[in-house]
Amino acid sequence: MPRSRMTSLLSMLTIAFSIFLFLVSPSQSAVFSVDLGSESLKVAVVNLKPGQVPISVAINEMSKRKSPALVSFTSGDRLLAEEAAGLVARYPQNVFSQIRDLMGKPYDFAKKFLDSMYLPFEVKEDSRGAVSFKVDGENGTVYYSPEELVAMVLSYAVNLAEFHSKVAIKDAVIAVPPYFGQAERKGMLNAAKLAGINVISLINEHSGAALQYGIDKDFSNESRHVIFYDMGSGSTYAALVYFSAYKSKEYGKTVSVNQFQVKDVRWNPELGGQDMELRLVEYFANEFNAQVGGGIDVRKFPKAMAKLKKQVKRTKEILSANTAAPISVESLHGDIDFRSTITREKFEELCEDIWEKSLLPVKEVIEHSGLSVDQIYAVELIGGATRVPKLQAKLQEFLGRKELDRHLDADEAIVLGAALHAANLSDGIKLNRKLGMVDGSLYGFVYELNGPDILKDESSRQLIVPRMKKLPSKMFRSINHNKDFEVSLAYESENQLPPGVASSQIAQYQISGLTDASEKYSSRNLSSPIKANIHFSLSRSGVLSLDRADAVIETMEWVEVPRKNLTVENSTISSNQSSEAGAMNSSEESNENAQTDTLTSKTSNDSAEEQAATEPATERKLKKRTFRVPLKIVEKITGPGVSLTKEFLAEAKGKLEALDKKDAERKRTAELKNNLEGYIYTTKEKIETLEEFEKVSTTEERQSFVEKLDQAQDWLYTDGEDANAAEFQERLDTLKAVGDPIFFRLKELTARPVAVAHAHKYLDELKQIVQEWKANKSWLPKERVDAVLDDAEKLKKWLDEKETEQKKTSAFSTPVFTSEEVYLKVLDLQNKVASCNRIPKPKPKIQKPTKNETESSGQNTNNSNSSSTDSSSPTDQSSNNSDSSSDETVDEQAEVHDEL
């Protein structure tokens, strides 16, 4: 099929399935997904309410679909995302970024990384050998681990999801880069736990993109290989995915089900858009140093570098659409402004080595697949850095294509695909469109045995998880051993370790209880050597663990079992079978011998019963018995990848809850402060501009009120700067106690006459309604109509009295009656009128027939019955006559049914 036609077909399919829906259970379970990158955060929500798009990206408080992955601590307050982004240039040492990429990393690696990014954080090495971040708080210095900082960002993601969906939501799928190792994946799960998120699964980023790519396509007529090329801010990878379809039975019908399998992934975890930006930073830093002179190096000043990095990011974005771009930084250093320009050609020259490195993941994935470039159906670009024209040109040149595939949103494909995965895994939500997913472990794993009498050979170190093994999986190994031992888990190759990992070992377990079990059962008659079974699992999130271990002891023992004797029934059957086997006589001879055979059989049965009564009911036999004894497992490991202890998690949870409570109080305080400030300004404006204000308040009253407003305003900008929420609320309540009565009188000044006019108008309309009742609804009860008229008269009288009294009352006083009272009385009258209108017209009475009419009618009825009986007789007779053939009909139907 021509590519243009295929593209057209795919477009039609996209439109056709873009409105796919979900089947939602009554539990109204809600799920969301998170794509947490090096610099930014995206959140997608599975919407449950009818009429909404099934999956949508949640927007933040700035109406943006992408939020900065930042945490800031300033003046005792914690700020997240957009709020923290505003402080980067002023307090670069207090705004923590790149935190996702520092989980599970050794301290030395993390420190080197932070220095290369010109991030001036104060850090130290913690007890695990990982990095921790120093924060000066109100109660002294506090240190936060990368997991705790990531948990804060994930808490922000939960708030976005709940605000977007308007329901409580905790179940989520979180996307992670494919190169994340065991320490990083466990760290992400721990961070989510601290944030109160129930992680249904981690998903590799390329699988999320593949789900989004394939959910609206049909692969029943053509399978395809697709490469997903992702260059984000901090890393690059290429994933080869095979899309196909298989036949399945559903409700008795054969249907085609789409699926995809991840064949291979190759990556460079230290190459991304940030590397391009750093080249520009270095270029402009040198230019600024040359302009200023005097041996000044702007790189030594964190604030200056934070400003420069911020503007460089914008310059790079401009170069993606233009051949040249300016850069302007106010007061870059020492009140010296910096302005310059750069061409796209110069930018590409600065990044010359980056372009070649960017091709390596694609080259490697194609080389290891055994496919040619022509066999790749599409190369889909995702990730913000793929927008750089030079990168696209290099990929086109290598692949020999005029165009690259950009059917997916470069920023949102992963988070939308992860939301599809979350919906599919959730108990309460199921996709109408099915797309099978087979992803694998991106690292191979081996296990190694250590302990007494364990020889170091090929059997003591074995591959347990080959690379790309399907997720999830369960494995077990059996070891012939009778003493306690240790099991170590490690990456398969020292040359393929996660970034920053120096040792291949990921976990070590002490297995105990085997020695005791061996001593207990060694005196038994063992049928085989004692062994230990070790059970491993590779979770859906790609985390490898040792789940349990058992000692297996097999013995041969004498046991009493029921004796197997021939029963009377078996003897009779055996005798009959022998007679049938040797029968050669005619039927007449068989009949003559029938009585003799019967007597012989009876005698045989009597003998068997006597023999059974004298022999014992049981006998001894050797039987194999298997004993399984659970063994104790203790995890022993040190380093950045060590599992966080329960004590650490509990302490971290308490710290985060305290910060959340403080944030909530801070937001409430800010909201009440804004309410007080807004009330002061709007009230002053009304007093100064509304002429009606003078009609409902005295001069003294207004002057006193204005003085109270001025006092509150002065307090707001002096002592009120450090006030708490309760103080702002108290000030606001005090002002409203004075202002509310005046504003109420001001409202009633116009609202009350409108309400009275409405009432009089309805009373006039009611007269016409009653006239129509008399003309067209004569069946209405007179007492009900009179009651309506009586109520109308009472309302009119009440209005006249209140209006007269109100005219005698000063406008500065509380109104005699209110517009609300008028509307309620009119509404009550309207309800009574409506009740009368609903009275139905009585049905006409049916005239009783005379005696002669009744007799005549009875005769007709009898004749009718007689006719009915006669007409049914032939049918009954026919039914009776066909009784003899009814069995044949049933047999025929049954025979046809059997054939079907």
Side-chain angles (χ1 to χ4, degrees), residues 22 82 98 190 312 376 435 462 502 663 743 766 835 876 889:
F22 297 95
E82 296 288 356
Q98 312 292 325
N190 281 327
V312 158
I376 305 299
L435 181 61
Q462 294 184 11
D663 285 352
F743 284 115
L766 183 57
S835 178
D876 295 338
T889 304

Side-chain angles (χ1 to χ4, degrees), residues 168-281:
I169 179 169
K170 297 299 178 186
D171 295 341
V173 165
I174 301 178
V176 295
Y179 55 82
F180 258 25
Q182 294 296 291
E184 293 94 335
R185 291 173 188 269
K186 290 178 181 178
M188 185 65 77
L189 292 173
N190 281 327
K193 186 176 181 180
L194 290 174
I197 298 175
N198 175 41
V199 179
I200 307 174
S201 173
L202 299 180
I203 186 174
N204 291 317
E205 291 176 353
H206 55 267
S207 291
L211 272 169
Q212 180 66 6
Y213 174 85
I215 193 65
D216 59 356
K217 295 176 175 60
D218 183 7
F219 307 108
S220 58
N221 295 324
E222 180 188 17
S223 58
R224 64 183 70 168
H225 287 91
V226 178
I227 289 179
F228 293 90
Y229 181 86
D230 183 352
M231 180 180 279
S233 61
S235 61
T236 303
Y237 66 80
L240 177 65
V241 181
Y242 177 64
F243 290 89
S244 61
Y246 64 93
K247 300 297 182 182
S248 177
K249 286 281 188 180
E250 287 188 5
Y251 306 107
K253 295 182 179 180
T254 301
V255 296
S256 177
V257 181
N258 289 336
Q259 65 177 354
F260 72 83
Q261 180 180 4
V262 180
K263 292 294 187 179
D264 194 13
V265 188
R266 302 287 164 167
W267 57 75
N268 185 339
E270 299 177 358
L271 178 70
Q274 290 176 347
D275 295 86
M276 304 178 196
E277 293 168 12
L278 284 174
R279 299 295 171 87
L280 290 175
V281 168

